[in-house]
Amino acid sequence: MISNNVQMSDEELLEFRMFQEQMKAVRHPELAPAQLSRKEENKCSYVMRSLSSDEFIAKVALLHPFAYFGTFILFCVGAFLLFTKFTMGHSIKLSHYLPYQEYIAGFCLFIAFIKYLKLRMIEMVVTNKRVICKEGIIAVNTEELKNARIESVEIKQTLWQRLWGYADIYFTGTGGSYVLFSNIKAARDVKSMLEDSLDT
């Protein structure tokens, strides 16, 4: 017969508590810290610096490549205008029909570069306590919503988004507050993970 009054040393007690935490993570995997890839770590570096001591990242929402489509078009237009201005013969130059061609090309390339930087600096993260969206290059704008205040999680897709497999996620909270994750790939994974964590 095994006695119920089992005495453990401090080291054994610590190991037992660690085992309990591991079993809790097995039963509720959405409550365990996510194993982030290098790409995901780069996409949440700002948020990681602002986490509280008992807060961890559960999911990093990544932008779909089509989020860069407008930036790519602007870059192509600027590059084409420069190419025809400085490398092609006079017969193909557009400067006869398009005054200030090099300035327009430079403007397109500059706007494309700024838009690319803005997209690269976006961080959309779900932690065990908050939903966070950070935007901005120099002036940083951070929107966040505590998980306990979230009332609904909606996925919205245009026809174009549906065709290419990405979506927008609206996290709506009490008092009309909301956080928007735009142009997210695997949006349903983000939604289901958060809903599961709210149900537990």
Side-chain angles (χ1 to χ4, degrees):
M1 188 173 180
I2 300 175
S3 173
N4 291 330
N5 298 323
V6 178
Q7 294 184 352
M8 293 186 289
S9 65
D10 292 340
E11 184 176 334
E12 290 173 331
L13 185 60
L14 179 62
E15 290 179 359
F16 178 71
R17 287 177 178 169
M18 290 175 63
F19 174 75
Q20 284 182 318
E21 291 298 321
Q22 291 172 352
M23 292 306 297
K24 182 179 178 183
V26 169
R27 290 194 300 270
H28 304 292
E30 68 279 351
L31 301 179
Q35 298 295 323
L36 303 179
S37 64
R38 183 179 298 274
K39 183 178 182 180
E40 290 175 326
E41 287 180 357
N42 292 336
K43 292 299 292 182
C44 64
S45 56
Y46 179 87
V47 173
M48 288 179 70
R49 294 194 299 269
S50 64
L51 297 177
S52 59
S53 57
D54 57 343
E55 187 176 16
F56 58 81
I57 293 174
K59 187 72 174 178
V60 179
L62 299 175
L63 283 174
H64 192 275
F66 267 95
Y68 296 90
F69 182 73
T71 303
F72 176 73
I73 293 298
L74 273 175
F75 174 80
C76 288
V77 169
F80 174 75
L81 290 176
L82 282 182
F83 181 75
T84 56
K85 174 70 177 179
F86 296 109
T87 63
M88 305 300 287
H90 289 281
S91 60
I92 310 180
K93 284 187 177 180
L94 300 177
S95 56
H96 303 294
Y97 312 101
L98 187 65
Y100 310 109
Q101 179 181 344
E102 62 274 16
Y103 298 110
I104 295 174
F107 179 75
C108 289
L109 292 175
F110 176 74
I111 296 299
F113 177 70
I114 295 298
K115 286 175 68 68
Y116 174 79
L117 279 184
K118 282 186 176 181
L119 290 171
R120 291 288 297 176
M121 298 298 289
I122 292 175
E123 297 182 13
M124 295 172 286
V125 177
V126 177
T127 75
N128 60 322
K129 291 186 174 183
R130 299 175 290 168
V131 172
I132 307 167
C133 180
K134 172 258 177 184
E135 297 177 335
I137 302 173
I138 299 174
V140 176
N141 178 36
T142 304
E143 297 177 351
E144 61 181 67
L145 189 61
K146 291 185 178 179
N147 292 352
R149 298 185 61 188
I150 294 177
E151 293 184 337
S152 66
V153 183
E154 300 178 37
I155 292 179
K156 296 187 178 181
Q157 286 180 306
T158 63
L159 177 61
W160 181 261
Q161 289 175 323
R162 188 171 181 82
L163 287 173
W164 294 102
Y166 64 105
D168 300 333
I169 310 177
Y170 287 83
F171 302 94
T172 307
T174 56
S177 57
Y178 73 94
V179 173
L180 171 62
F181 286 5
S182 297
N183 301 320
I184 300 302
K185 65 179 180 180
R188 296 191 184 280
D189 293 343
V190 177
K191 180 179 184 291
S192 60
M193 185 281 307
L194 181 60
E195 287 178 339
D196 290 343
S197 66
L198 293 176
D199 291 339
T200 55

